[in-house]
Each structure stands twice: as C-alpha cells, then as structure tokens.
Amino acid sequence: MAKPKPDFPPAADILAQCDREGRLAVRVTPGARSESITIAKQGIALKTRAKPKDGEANGAVIAMLAKALGTAPSRITLLRGDTSREKMVQIQ
C-alpha cells in the first residue's frame, strides 16, 4: 500500500506567515501517522512521520517545507529549536 501524499497549503499562504526577514515559526509533531502542513495562529503546524532522533525530524521539516514552497532545501535554514517542537526557520 502506497503512502498518501502530504497535504500542503498554497506556497503563498505559507510565505504570508513569514516576517520581513523571511523567518517562519513552525510547530512540529514528529512521529505522526500522516504528514501535513497547516496554517496555525502562531505560524505553521507541521506533522511528520520522522522520529525525533539524530536530527531525522529536523531534516524532514526542511524537506517538507521546501517541497511545499517549491524551493531547494538549501534555501531553508533552521535558526532555532534543534531539539524542540517549536522551531524557527529562515526562508531565503
């Protein structure tokens, strides 16, 4: 059985959550049953199947955001929250 495709909002809606410097607040739920990105009050809520060990979830967060925005993962940098569910990323 194939994995269902993640559900992403439009890239413009995600980018609208960024501040002037391109920083985006992300609330991550690692180890979720399904992968999705939703718009929340304080930024973006992201669910990933990746487990929070050895940076797997952080890599998955960057990869999912890059795919949703249609940009390269190298253009997204994790600024804060390496070991936390509350993360701050910068989109260039």
Side-chain angles (χ1 to χ4, degrees):
M1 181 184 235
K3 295 187 293 187
K5 288 189 175 188
D7 183 30
F8 299 141
D13 292 348
I14 295 172
L15 291 173
Q17 299 294 316
C18 293
D19 64 8
R20 285 185 279 155
E21 286 83 31
R23 295 178 300 199
L24 178 66
V26 181
R27 167 86 174 153
V28 178
T29 304
R33 283 185 165 212
S34 62
E35 294 186 332
S36 67
I37 298 175
T38 55
I39 306 294
K41 290 181 183 178
Q42 300 296 324
I44 300 295
L46 188 145
K47 294 181 181 180
T48 181
R49 287 189 180 101
K51 300 293 180 187
K53 66 172 193 167
D54 299 329
E56 282 182 36
N58 291 336
V61 166
I62 291 172
M64 283 180 64
L65 282 173
K67 188 170 184 179
L69 295 172
T71 188
S74 62
R75 298 195 51 142
I76 300 174
T77 307
L78 182 64
L79 298 176
R80 193 174 61 211
D82 195 37
T83 59
S84 171
R85 288 179 183 232
E86 301 289 332
K87 300 186 184 302
M88 181 70 66
V89 298
Q90 184 165 22
I91 302 168
Q92 300 173 2

